[in-house]
Amino acid sequence: MSMIDDFLADTREHMSKSVEATRGKFGSIRTGRASPALLDRIVVDYYGAMTPLKQLATVSAPEARLLTVQPYDKNSVKSIERAILESDIGLTPNNDGSIIRLQVPELTEERRKQLVKVVRGLAEEGKVAIRNIRRDTLHDLRELRDAGEAGSDDEHRAEEALQRLTDEKVKELDTLLKGKEEEILEV
């Protein structure tokens, strides 16, 4: 029975990681407010090495519609600016030689709808990951039963527990999605 418990514990952990990964992706989707997390995916060519922006600068949101990027090395300002311009976040950097400022414009209705579609796509990817984890665990449970290491009653109970876990994690994603949609659509 303990092997089955181990499988279910591993499965819970993997599913929780999938939910957290989706939550992280949601954080990098732009809403009407400035959030330093918007720049989390930006990678800068720093003296030939691709380096995450947050290792090269302090990113803060002093106002609701403004992000500031304070590079640790003033010589990296141009590289950081280029990386932001080439990214998909759609913000135009202004720099005064030492600080880069990013105005976060008001979202248009059309852009909000596009972002909702993007967020729904991310949530669906998360759900697919959870279902794949469930499928793999079901496969492992059946192998245990076929190898005679678990009875079919144990396997059946484990499958029911697995389905409850899957439903719980999918519901968690749906709740995250609903919250993110409301945040995007809020004017």
Side-chain angles (χ1 to χ4, degrees):
M1 188 63 189
S2 78
M3 253 179 119
I4 289 178
D5 293 338
D6 288 348
F7 277 145
L8 291 175
D10 278 357
T11 302
R12 174 176 289 281
E13 187 181 328
H14 282 91
M15 286 183 176
S16 294
K17 284 181 181 167
S18 289
V19 170
E20 282 314 304
T22 304
R23 184 189 312 264
K25 289 176 187 171
F26 280 1
S28 69
I29 299 291
R30 188 159 75 94
T31 58
R33 285 188 289 290
S35 159
L38 291 176
L39 303 180
D40 281 356
R41 293 177 301 160
I42 305 252
V43 183
V44 181
D45 183 352
Y46 184 63
Y47 295 112
M50 297 312 280
T51 312
L53 174 63
K54 56 185 165 197
Q55 290 179 15
L56 298 174
T58 303
V59 179
S60 57
E63 300 167 25
R65 302 220 164 277
L66 180 70
L67 284 174
T68 58
V69 179
Q70 171 94 48
Y72 303 129
D73 171 8
K74 294 221 189 312
N75 299 327
S76 65
V77 170
K78 285 279 178 228
S79 305
I80 292 173
E81 196 174 27
R82 186 175 318 107
I84 293 171
L85 275 170
E86 292 170 357
S87 74
D88 62 355
I89 60 170
L91 297 177
T92 308
N94 298 315
N95 94 62
D96 63 9
S98 62
I99 292 182
I100 298 171
R101 288 181 179 78
L102 299 161
Q103 283 299 134
V104 179
E106 194 69 59
L107 290 175
T108 63
E109 188 61 33
E110 185 181 325
R111 182 71 179 131
R112 287 177 198 277
K113 287 178 180 159
Q114 285 175 337
L115 287 174
V116 166
K117 282 182 187 162
V118 168
V119 169
R120 284 182 181 155
L122 291 173
E124 192 51 44
E125 284 173 22
K127 289 177 185 177
V128 167
I130 286 171
R131 287 194 287 265
N132 287 341
I133 294 166
R134 179 189 65 191
R135 184 197 61 220
D136 294 345
T137 304
L138 278 173
H139 178 76
D140 293 342
L141 289 171
R142 293 206 173 102
E143 281 184 349
L144 269 184
R145 184 199 61 203
D146 294 345
E149 294 179 38
S152 55
D153 287 351
D154 291 338
E155 182 208 9
H156 186 69
R157 271 194 298 277
E159 283 180 11
E160 286 176 351
L162 179 61
Q163 188 57 51
R164 281 193 304 274
L165 179 60
T166 304
D167 293 344
E168 172 192 321
K169 293 301 176 185
V170 165
K171 196 171 174 184
E172 210 174 307
L173 274 180
D174 285 337
T175 305
L176 278 176
L177 173 62
K178 192 169 184 278
K180 190 64 180 182
E181 281 182 357
E182 286 170 5
E183 188 181 324
I184 290 171
L185 295 172
E186 164 193 320
V187 180

